Amino acid sequence: MIQLLAFYLFAIVVLASGALTILSRNPVHSVLWLILAFFNAAGLMVIVGAEFIAMLLVIVYVGAVAVLFLFVVMMLNIDFAELRAGVMRYAAVGLALAVALAAEIIIAVGAYSAGGLQLGRRIAPVDPAVPNIEAVGELLYTRYLFVFEAAGLVLLVAMIGAIVLTHRERSGVRPQNISRQINRRSKDATRNMNPPVGQGVEL
């Protein structure tokens, strides 16, 4: 009974958070709703026994991807007035994408009703007695090692792209000179002094 109640609770919160992620006018609020959706999706994964995927959702998506989205959104100078003005310009494209996604959902529900494919048995047969995390780790570092490394490379490129997007030259702000900082002499460095009361500072 508790599993059923937890499932409905997590599922309802995931759906509500996903809807608010799309409907929120503020991009920062959208990212925060997305983080909530990730947490509750991790709860669903725990209920079905996929604890490894639940940890991935929390560590990778919440701890890295969602925080990266929030970092980029807050660092970029977003003009909200211009953002609202451009909504009607792309309304047709957005409607077409919504219809396409709705059609995909209907097809997926029909395929699930017809009977799911046993992909775990056909592609990656594992011993049912092996724990979930151990089985996934064995497959990642043996059969799917190159795909796993390629996924890491894609995440690295995404991280570099975020750094490039947020890095810009600002007027009146001197850029950091790393070589000058490394080559400075110790006597030229600033020192924190704590002089006694009534005495001056030694220069």
Side-chain angles (χ1 to χ4, degrees):
M1 186 64 181
I2 186 65
Q3 291 89 347
L4 186 61
L5 292 177
F7 170 77
Y8 281 115
L9 174 62
F10 287 136
I12 291 172
V13 176
V14 166
L15 293 175
S17 301
L20 290 171
T21 301
I22 301 172
L23 298 176
S24 295
R25 294 179 178 271
N26 192 326
V28 178
H29 295 169
S30 296
V31 176
L32 295 177
W33 285 116
L34 182 63
I35 292 175
L36 180 61
F38 284 151
F39 271 117
N40 288 272
L44 289 175
M45 294 298 105
V46 171
I47 292 175
V48 300
E51 62 273 8
F52 180 75
I53 299 178
M55 288 190 297
L56 283 182
L57 281 171
V58 174
I59 297 173
V60 177
Y61 283 91
V62 177
V65 177
V67 175
L68 181 64
F69 288 164
L70 188 62
F71 172 75
V72 172
V73 167
M74 294 181 70
M75 288 296 293
L76 295 177
N77 295 324
I78 299 177
D79 189 354
F80 292 101
E82 183 180 355
L83 187 65
R84 296 189 187 97
V87 171
M88 295 305 299
R89 186 187 311 171
Y90 301 102
V93 178
L95 182 61
L97 290 175
V99 172
L101 290 176
E104 288 181 353
I105 292 174
I106 294 173
I107 294 172
V109 171
Y112 179 78
S113 301
L117 298 176
Q118 299 295 336
L119 296 178
R121 297 178 184 176
R122 295 177 57 186
I123 299 177
V126 295
D127 186 4
V130 177
N132 179 261
I133 297 178
E134 184 178 345
V136 172
E138 182 180 354
L139 290 174
L140 283 179
Y141 291 102
T142 55
R143 179 174 297 190
Y144 300 107
L145 177 62
F146 295 107
V147 179
F148 181 69
E149 295 293 338
L153 182 62
V154 171
L155 290 176
L156 176 63
V157 172
M159 181 179 65
I160 295 174
I163 295 173
V164 171
L165 284 175
T166 56
H167 179 72
R168 62 170 62 90
E169 298 292 338
R170 293 177 174 86
S171 60
V173 178
R174 292 187 301 175
Q176 184 180 14
N177 192 336
I178 299 177
S179 61
R180 183 180 177 185
Q181 293 175 353
I182 295 175
N183 295 326
R184 69 174 176 82
R185 297 176 298 178
S186 59
K187 64 179 183 180
D188 296 333
T190 303
R191 293 182 298 170
N192 292 325
M193 305 295 295
N194 188 15
V197 178
Q199 296 184 10
V201 178
E202 181 184 356
L203 298 177

